[in-house]
Each structure stands twice: as C-alpha cells, then as structure tokens.
Amino acid sequence: MEEALPHRAAELLGDARRVVVLTGAGISAESGVPTFRDDLTGLWARFDARELATAAAFHADPDLVWGWYEWRRTRVRRAEPNPGHLAIAAIEARIPGTTVITQNVDDLHERAGSPAPIHLHGSLFAPRCVAAAAHPATIDDAADADADAPDGEPAQPHDGRRIAPPRCTSCGTLVRPGVVWFGEMLPEAAFTAAVEAAAACDLLLAVGTSGVVYPAAEIPRIAARSGAAVIQVNPEPTPLDRVCAVNLRGTAAHVLPSLVAAAWAADPAPRS
Ligand code: OAD
C-alpha cells in the first residue's frame, strides 16, 4: 500500500513563489544512471571511481580516465528522463521563479524540459582541454560505439577499457572531461547563482542527494538558514534530514509526480 503524501509537503509547494530544486544522482537512478554511493561496488568492481575523479588520476593514466567518462557518457545518452525529471520541469513551468540546481553531469533535466539547470559539477557533454586558459572541445560521437554494449543489451560494468582522449585543436594539449574533479573548485558563476537562489527561495526541494559532498551540500542549509522550508525526497535518511520540514521517504520518480499533483489538486491553473 502506497504511503499517503504528507499534506504539509503539498501545501508548501502549492503556496511557494520561489522554489529551488537541488538534485543529486538519485534523481537519475530510475533512468538507469548509477549513483555514486549506492552501488559503486557493483558498477565499478576493479577501480574506485573516487580515485579516478581527480586531475592526478587523469595525468597518471589519461586513457583509463577518458575511457571511464566515455562509458558514463554513453550510458547517459542511452538513458531517458524519468517522471521525477518531468515533475521538476512541471514545477518550473508552473512557478516562474524556480531554479533547478544539479550536482549531476548528465543532461536529463534539459531533456525533460528544464531550460537552464545550474550544473554545479560540470557536464559530461562539455569537454575542454587541460590548458590553463582551457578551450572547449567538441565530442566525437563516433567514439561512443566502443564504450559500451550495443543498444538493447543490458549495461555492463565498466571493465577498465582505455580510450585515448583527443588533443585540443587549438593548442594541442589533452582534452579532459568537463566535470569537476575532487580537489577542484566548482564553476564560480554556477556556485554563486546557486547560493543566491537558495538564499532567496521560500521552498527548497532536495532530491536524491546524499548531502555529504561540499560545497553543494551547503545549498539546502543556506535555504533553511534564510527561512525557506526544505523538503527532501530520498528513500534513505541523510544528514539533511534535520534541516528538512518534511522528509518524503520514496523514490523521485514515484514521489515527485504525486507531490506535484497534490500541490495543485485544488487549483489546476498555472500561476501567472
Ligand atoms: P550519491 O550517490 O552520494 O547519493 C545518491 C542519493 O540518492 C542517496 O542518498 C540515495 O539514497 C538517493 N537515491 C537513490 N535512488 C534514489 C531514487 N530513485 N530517488 C531518490 N533518491 C534516490 O550522489 P550525490 O549526492 O549526487 O561529485 O553525490 C554528490 C557528488 O558526489 C556527485 O555530484 C559527485 C560525487 O562524487 C563529483 O563528481 C564532483
């Protein structure tokens, strides 16, 4: 039997004028994109992903690191947005002052209809060269075919396959993934916009994040300190529980559409 959605959560969303939605890997889990901390061992049996997500790892073995990111990019390209992503796009359509902030490097929010999510940790689709004044690089989609099983087959764990990264066409240095690695700064403009949105919102929805990676994990806390209500959607408890007005223990694809439906059940017209 499905647990009833707490009335308080629907009320908070129904009354909200400025909403921030902060997402983590859990929002894309039901699209088949693996999270980091849930099933790292199953997907990444031979290497520790956290040890690969560093500039030092790329310099030590660029082909291994590029191969892993190509594998992830191919998985994302084959994934589709789920009802959780779509519900977030519906909130944005309904409440103009909504900001979507994601820690994810996939493009599933965009493909669900979110016009401009803030990517705190970069993107799998924006590689750049390693030069100090980095040049953006274009992606060779033909390389995808080798990075994973053929379409229609279940995704396999990455097997450590190496793929040589391309060279920058402007300066000749290696091209690297356009993501934030451990030990690197977040993109400044993205982080500033995220902090400003969190400080000015009246409701923050934290969806599918373990809330342990900083500074992104500070965003819900900034909203709470600024007087916003925080609602969390996550099947598991997290350190964010205690800053939340409501904790909805369920999956994003399940809970978010119910929340959206309940919030506007009595008033189906979009707010002007
Ligand atoms: P994590 O893998 O740390 O946490 C995923 C969270 O999603 C967990 O709390 C799960 O309980 C929850 N979850 C799993 N399935 C879910 C579902 N279907 N619906 C809702 N929630 C679900 O991912 P993040 O918090 O995003 O950083 O990790 C933060 C950062 O750590 C990532 O952006 C990445 C990683 O290292 C960088 O790469 C810089």
Side-chain angles (χ1 to χ4, degrees):
M1 180 80 182
E2 185 180 325
E3 195 189 326
L5 190 71
H7 176 68
R8 179 78 184 126
E11 202 174 54
L12 285 168
L13 180 57
D15 291 344
R17 291 291 180 274
R18 293 177 75 103
V19 177
V20 166
V21 185
L22 172 70
T23 65
I27 183 75
S28 298
E30 286 152 290
S31 295
V33 180
T35 62
F36 292 91
R37 288 167 186 79
D38 288 324
D39 46 13
L40 197 61
T41 45
L43 284 168
W44 192 244
R46 292 177 50 203
F47 304 95
D48 182 343
R50 283 161 291 195
E51 284 177 12
L52 283 170
T54 65
F58 183 70
H59 289 302
D61 194 341
D63 297 11
L64 178 65
V65 173
W66 186 260
W68 185 54
Y69 280 93
E70 284 295 285
W71 173 79
R72 288 179 62 192
R73 192 161 61 81
T74 300
R75 287 192 69 148
V76 165
R77 286 179 67 243
R78 292 177 184 169
E80 296 294 336
N82 68 56
H85 296 103
L86 296 171
I88 291 170
I91 294 171
E92 285 183 278
R94 174 86 187 206
I95 308 176
T98 299
T99 304
V100 175
I101 305 167
T102 187
Q103 297 163 83
N104 299 343
V105 293
D106 65 45
D107 62 350
L108 295 178
H109 281 304
E110 287 91 333
R111 287 201 266 138
S114 289
I118 296 173
H119 280 273
L120 287 180
H121 292 162
S123 165
L124 289 171
F125 302 94
R128 61 175 190 272
C129 75
V130 297
H135 304 102
T138 50
I139 299 173
D140 176 10
D141 274 338
D144 283 0
D146 289 330
D148 204 343
D151 277 332
E153 286 186 20
Q156 302 297 315
H158 186 255
D159 59 1
R161 184 187 316 225
R162 289 173 156 75
I163 299 175
R167 295 252 166 208
C168 178
T169 51
S170 302
C171 67
T173 62
L174 285 180
V175 170
R176 57 160 281 178
V179 302
V180 176
W181 280 329
F182 288 102
E184 293 184 329
M185 301 288 285
L186 271 55
E188 200 181 325
F191 187 61
T192 301
V195 168
E196 286 174 2
C201 72
D202 49 27
L203 175 67
L204 185 140
L205 276 169
V207 182
T209 178
S210 54
V212 298
V213 175
Y214 285 81
E218 196 57 41
I219 301 291
R221 296 174 168 95
I222 291 170
R225 279 201 299 273
S226 307
V230 180
I231 298 175
Q232 179 169 233
V233 179
N234 197 312
E236 304 292 335
T238 78
L240 294 175
D241 284 12
R242 61 179 178 278
V243 302
C244 293
V246 186
N247 282 292
L248 301 173
R249 295 269 188 257
T251 71
H254 191 72
V255 169
L256 286 173
S258 312
L259 176 61
V260 166
W264 294 301
D267 175 21
R271 204 164 287 149
S272 55

